[in-house]
């Protein structure tokens, strides 16, 4: 690969980069990590707890929680559910809060039934939440749902709540005690496909409206491509791949003339096929490499708590797809090259 | 002894609807030092004939000898070597790699001729030829920056760099103005006087008139030699 090849290959590198990046992004953004249950409450150390979260896909995740922090948000990737859950370093199994059941049902749209310990409980899903804030006049915290309804009674309840997380389904529990709203920073390591991040405080409350912009986990599982975004992404991806095939063909013809000239002055036609393929593969690999590196940098810069283990399958699939399409395109061009007359090639 | 010998050469192209006869029973002998113009109208088969002579295309039937070597007996690798050692091509559209420098364009045949040809020797040889063709100052420039006349000089330099015996030129002045045409033809004359065998394709009788021998071709057949 010399300077001339790079000069001619800039566009192909750019296309390979864009496709790789887009593909990895789409593959990484999966839907359907729905919680089936959360079990645990096992202390790992004096300052941490582990919760096993079983997803409907039957994957089991372990969330390591620093028990010194009292509140965190868990964003289940692609599910649009924000899960707020309560921790307390003094927590053991809490009191019976079964009386929350009816109140929760009345106040939250899209809620579902679950149980907390011995309690059967209606929950508020994160997707219904718009804002949590403290009403200083009433001296209490309120939840505002996206449909405009205010869900405030929970505040006082949760302030004194102690929960057993066993047998949870998707849920939202909010601790709006003022002392717990101070520090939401910090990222927690997660095994599996989940990551945890925390939301920043805004005007004394948590602004859920911004939470959708944060992506906390990666997974190849789920049904991303069945969602509306997934279908749109798929169409975009196909257009990219189609464009790439066209661009590669143009690029290949550029090299075909060089190959033709070399054949005229002593190169072998078969040998020249490999000559062109070598240059082609090199350039595509440069594009893929740049795409993969950019993808990693992008996630590390803008999203916290990404796990290497969950990235690797995405990267592998992305690279295989881009490289596969490239090779397929190269093969098509090979056939064209081998059938063209030297005159056509030299005059191209 | 003939340097090139064609006997009863036929060439047909298969299209979707029919078979097109490009060359029909062509026989031709080229002696060392010949300066031949192959003249014909567009589509008469003259370029096909040149491609077969230069081993860029394969005949459908007939016999072809280069000196004493019969082409049918050779492998693709041997044919590629024969092409490299015997022929220098000069084409109407120059067939230069536009992004390559003049130097690298001229060097291409050397890449296949000598596996261990030193850069120093190659550089000296390229500079000498470029200087003789008045493009010595352009060696570092990309080919795309040159004028038509300069590009054709680069193409000539590339055809000469391997000391090939035969130069095959397909409408070498077809893209040039009158002044540059005369300059290029003058170079051809000098090369022929130096002993190079030149076969030149043209539809321009004036260009053909500088050659020692003229072969007229029509509908794939030689009609007048």
């Amino acid at each position: 690969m010399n300077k001339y090849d790079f000069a001619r290959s800039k566009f192909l590198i750019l296309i390979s980069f864009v496709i790789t990046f887009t593909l990895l992004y789409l593959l990484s953004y999966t839907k359907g990590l729905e919680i089936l249950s959360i079990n645990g409450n096992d202390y790992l150390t004096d300052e941490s707890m582990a919760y096993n979260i079983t997803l409907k896909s039957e994957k089991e995740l372990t969330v390591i929680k620093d028990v010194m922090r009292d509140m965190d948000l868990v964003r289940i990737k692609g599910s649009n559910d924000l899960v707020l859950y309560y921790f307390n370093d003094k927590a053991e199994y809490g009191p019976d809060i079964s009386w929350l059941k009816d109140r929760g049902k009345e106040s939250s749209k899209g809620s579902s039934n679950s149980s907390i310990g011995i309690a059967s409980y209606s929950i508020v899903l994160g997707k219904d939440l718009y804002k949590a804030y403290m009403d200083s006049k009433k001296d209490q915290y309120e939840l505002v749902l996206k449909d405009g309804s205010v869900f405030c009674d929970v505040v006082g309840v949760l302030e004194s709540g102690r929960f057993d997380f066993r047998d949870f389904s998707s849920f939202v529990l909010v601790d709006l005690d003022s002392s717990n709203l101070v520090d939401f920073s910090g990222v927690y390591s997660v095994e599996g496909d989940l990551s945890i991040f925390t939301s920043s405080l805004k005007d004394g409350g948590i602004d859920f409206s911004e939470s959708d912009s944060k992506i906390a986990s990666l997974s190849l599982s789920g049904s991303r491509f069945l969602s509306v975004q997934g279908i749109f992404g798929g169409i975009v991806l196909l257009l990219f791949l189609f464009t790439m095939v066209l661009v590669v063909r143009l690029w290949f013809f550029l090299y075909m003339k060089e190959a033709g000239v070399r054949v005229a002055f002593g190169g072998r036609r078969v040998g020249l096929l490999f000559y062109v393929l070598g240059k082609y593969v090199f350039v595509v690999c440069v594009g893929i490499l740049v795409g993969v590196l950019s993808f990693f940098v992008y996630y590390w810069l803008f999203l916290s708590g990404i796990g290497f283990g969950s990235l690797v399958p995405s990267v592998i699939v992305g690279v295989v797809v881009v490289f596969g399409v490239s090779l397929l395109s190269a093969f098509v061009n090979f056939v064209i090259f081998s059938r063209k007359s030297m005159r056509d090639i030299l005059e191209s | 002894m003939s340097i090139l010998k064609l006997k009863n050469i036929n060439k047909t192209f298969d299209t979707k609807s029919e078979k097109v006869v490009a060359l029909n029973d062509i026989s031709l002998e080229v002696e060392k030092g010949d300066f031949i113009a192959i003249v014909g109208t567009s589509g008469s088969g003259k370029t096909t004939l040149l491609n077969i002579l230069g081993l860029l295309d394969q005949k459908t039937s007939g016999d072809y000898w280069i000196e004493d070597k019969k082409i049918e007996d050779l492998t693709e690798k041997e044919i590629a070597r024969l092409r490299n050692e015997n022929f220098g091509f000069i084409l109407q559209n120059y067939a230069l790699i536009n992004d390559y420098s003049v130097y690298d364009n001229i060097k291409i045949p050397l890449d296949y001729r000598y596996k261990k040809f030193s850069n120093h020797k190659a550089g000296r040889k390229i500079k000498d030829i470029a200087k003789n063709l008045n493009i010595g100052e352009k060696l570092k420039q990309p080919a795309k920056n040159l004028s038509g006349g300069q590009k054709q000089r680069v193409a000539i330099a590339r055809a000469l760099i391997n000391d090939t015996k035969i130069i095959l030129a397909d409408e070498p002045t077809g893209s040039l103005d009158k002044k540059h045409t005369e300059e290029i033809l003058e170079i051809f004359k000098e090369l022929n006087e130096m002993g190079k065998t030149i076969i030149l394709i043209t539809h321009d009788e004036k260009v053909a008139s500088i050659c020692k021998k003229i072969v007229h071709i029509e509908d794939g057949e030689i009609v007048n030699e």
Side-chain angles (χ1 to χ4, degrees):
Chain A
M1 177 68 50
N2 59 36
K3 60 183 176 181
Y4 309 115
D5 300 324
F6 267 121
R8 280 187 281 172
S9 304
K10 275 182 279 190
F11 194 47
L12 186 63
I13 290 175
L14 180 66
I15 288 291
S16 303
F17 156 73
V18 170
I19 290 173
T20 305
F21 190 93
T22 307
L23 194 61
L24 293 179
Y25 185 84
L26 288 171
L27 285 170
S28 71
Y29 192 68
T30 55
K31 181 179 181 291
L33 293 183
E34 296 175 76
I35 291 176
L36 188 63
S37 65
I38 298 179
N39 300 296
N41 209 12
D42 299 319
Y43 283 90
L44 294 179
T45 68
D46 287 345
E47 294 186 343
S48 64
M49 302 164 78
Y51 289 90
N52 295 319
I53 300 175
T54 305
L55 305 177
K56 287 184 178 174
S57 61
E58 296 185 350
K59 277 196 170 185
E60 189 158 287
L61 313 170
T62 302
V63 179
I64 310 295
K65 176 69 180 75
D66 178 352
V67 295
M68 297 307 288
R69 300 182 187 283
D70 295 301
M71 180 181 281
D72 278 298
L73 301 172
V74 176
R75 170 80 152 80
I76 307 300
K77 172 71 175 175
S79 67
N80 293 324
D81 289 346
L82 268 178
V83 180
L84 255 64
Y85 60 97
Y86 174 87
F87 287 102
N88 191 300
D89 56 341
K90 299 169 188 168
E92 293 180 11
Y93 296 152
D96 182 357
I97 52 170
S98 58
W99 56 272
L100 267 172
K101 178 182 175 184
D102 293 333
R103 202 184 296 266
K105 269 186 176 175
E106 287 169 8
S107 305
S108 63
K109 185 181 178 182
S111 61
S112 60
N113 289 317
S114 183
S115 61
I116 304 173
I118 58 172
S120 177
Y121 176 52
S122 295
I123 62 165
V124 176
L125 295 175
K127 66 182 177 183
D128 297 323
L129 285 172
Y130 175 66
K131 190 182 256 186
Y133 66 98
M134 185 179 76
D135 186 332
S136 56
K137 288 179 183 175
K138 296 178 185 173
D139 197 24
Q140 64 178 7
Y141 289 91
E142 293 183 349
L143 296 181
V144 180
L145 304 187
K146 284 181 179 173
D147 65 2
S149 58
V150 179
F151 190 39
C152 58
D153 291 343
V154 71
V155 174
V157 173
L158 292 180
E159 278 179 347
S160 58
R162 295 289 183 272
F163 305 110
D164 179 357
F165 284 89
R166 287 176 294 187
D167 302 318
F168 260 59
S169 291
S170 298
F171 66 105
V172 173
L173 293 175
V174 183
D175 180 1
L176 294 173
D177 181 27
S178 59
S179 64
N180 294 330
L181 287 170
V182 174
D183 183 10
F184 288 99
S185 62
V187 175
Y188 301 91
S189 63
V190 175
E191 294 176 12
D193 297 316
L194 271 183
S195 289
I196 301 171
F197 68 90
T198 57
S199 176
S200 59
L201 278 174
K202 262 194 173 181
D203 302 319
I206 307 165
D207 187 354
F208 290 93
S209 62
E210 289 188 358
S211 60
D212 274 348
S213 64
K214 299 186 177 181
I215 298 166
S217 68
L218 277 176
S219 173
L220 281 175
S221 65
S223 54
R224 164 70 181 159
F225 287 98
L226 294 179
S227 67
V228 174
Q229 295 143 303
I231 292 168
F232 177 75
I235 292 169
V236 172
L237 180 65
L238 285 175
L239 286 174
F240 267 131
L241 294 176
F242 183 66
T243 307
M244 183 170 180
V245 170
L246 289 180
V247 170
V248 165
R249 286 199 64 171
L250 285 174
W251 179 87
F252 203 92
F253 278 116
L254 205 61
Y255 273 102
M256 205 183 278
K257 185 179 177 184
E258 178 176 336
V261 170
R262 289 184 175 276
V263 168
F265 288 96
R268 291 164 64 195
R269 194 180 267 236
V270 172
L272 264 298
L273 290 178
F274 289 100
Y275 173 83
V276 174
L277 177 65
K279 293 192 174 205
Y280 171 81
V281 167
F282 184 89
V283 170
V284 169
C285 285
V286 169
I288 288 176
L289 184 67
V290 175
V292 170
L293 290 177
S294 305
F295 179 72
F296 273 83
V297 171
Y298 168 78
Y299 265 90
W300 274 321
L301 280 181
F302 297 105
L303 305 161
S304 315
I306 195 81
F308 243 126
S310 56
L311 260 181
V312 170
S314 297
V315 171
I316 291 172
V317 172
V319 169
V320 166
V321 170
V322 174
F323 200 64
V325 171
S326 304
L327 279 182
L328 184 68
S329 181
F331 177 75
V332 171
N333 285 294
F334 272 11
V335 174
I336 294 170
F337 178 81
S338 61
R339 288 181 179 174
K340 266 183 173 284
S341 72
M342 285 307 299
R343 179 184 171 83
D344 289 340
I345 292 170
L346 286 171
E347 290 185 351
S348 61
Chain B
M1 183 186 169
S2 302
I3 192 169
L4 303 176
K5 186 179 176 185
L6 299 174
K7 191 177 178 187
N8 306 121
I9 294 290
N10 293 288
K11 176 69 180 177
T12 55
F13 293 104
D14 291 325
T15 64
K16 285 179 183 173
S17 54
E18 58 180 343
K19 278 191 174 181
V20 177
V21 178
L23 296 178
N24 185 18
D25 204 28
I26 295 279
S27 294
L28 180 70
E29 289 194 28
V30 179
E31 304 294 332
K32 190 178 178 190
D34 264 352
F35 190 2
I36 300 174
I38 299 175
V39 181
T41 55
S42 179
S44 60
K46 54 188 190 300
T47 297
T48 305
L49 176 59
L50 194 82
N51 286 342
I52 289 173
L53 283 168
L55 303 173
L56 290 176
D57 205 351
Q58 292 181 333
K59 58 192 170 46
T60 306
S61 64
D63 297 317
Y64 179 26
W65 289 267
I66 296 178
E67 294 182 322
D68 56 343
K69 289 173 186 161
K70 197 173 184 185
I71 299 307
E72 295 92 282
D73 300 335
L74 303 177
T75 63
E76 197 220 332
K77 191 176 180 180
E78 289 167 330
I79 288 173
R81 170 174 276 193
L82 213 56
R83 191 165 51 228
N84 176 263
E85 292 175 355
N86 287 280
F87 298 106
F89 294 91
I90 300 167
L91 305 178
Q92 181 179 356
N93 71 348
Y94 324 119
L96 300 177
I97 310 299
N98 281 327
D99 295 323
Y100 275 32
S101 66
V102 168
Y103 181 96
D104 287 323
N105 267 290
I106 296 173
K107 188 169 171 281
I108 287 173
L110 292 178
D111 295 339
Y112 298 99
R113 181 70 175 268
Y114 306 103
K115 283 185 180 173
K116 292 180 181 176
F117 200 64
S118 76
N119 282 334
H120 178 67
K121 280 184 187 173
R124 207 166 51 196
K125 198 170 183 186
I126 290 166
K127 280 176 189 167
D128 287 346
I129 287 181
K131 191 178 172 187
N132 289 338
L133 290 166
N134 289 329
I135 48 171
E137 304 297 316
K138 307 285 182 184
L139 283 174
K140 290 181 181 174
Q141 286 195 24
K144 61 187 169 193
N145 290 354
L146 305 181
S147 68
Q150 288 168 334
K151 284 181 180 175
Q152 199 58 293
R153 286 167 187 269
V154 175
I156 292 171
R158 185 181 56 186
L160 296 174
I161 194 70
N162 250 356
D163 297 321
T164 52
K165 300 166 192 166
I166 304 158
I167 291 176
L168 302 176
D170 189 352
E171 302 276 10
T173 58
S175 302
L176 303 178
D177 57 25
K178 189 178 174 187
K179 180 185 167 222
H180 286 114
T181 296
E182 286 171 0
E183 287 174 3
I184 295 297
L185 292 179
E186 197 56 41
I187 292 170
F188 278 127
K189 270 198 232 175
E190 287 174 17
L191 290 172
N192 182 242
E193 285 165 9
M194 289 162 61
K196 297 282 184 193
T197 304
I198 300 174
I199 301 173
L200 180 153
I201 281 180
T202 184
H203 61 271
D204 186 338
E205 293 290 345
K206 282 185 186 172
V207 172
S209 67
I210 69 159
C211 301
K212 293 176 182 171
K213 195 190 288 184
I214 299 177
V215 174
H216 286 274
I217 186 166
E218 272 181 32
D219 297 328
E221 295 181 18
I222 293 175
V223 293
N224 180 16
E225 191 175 340

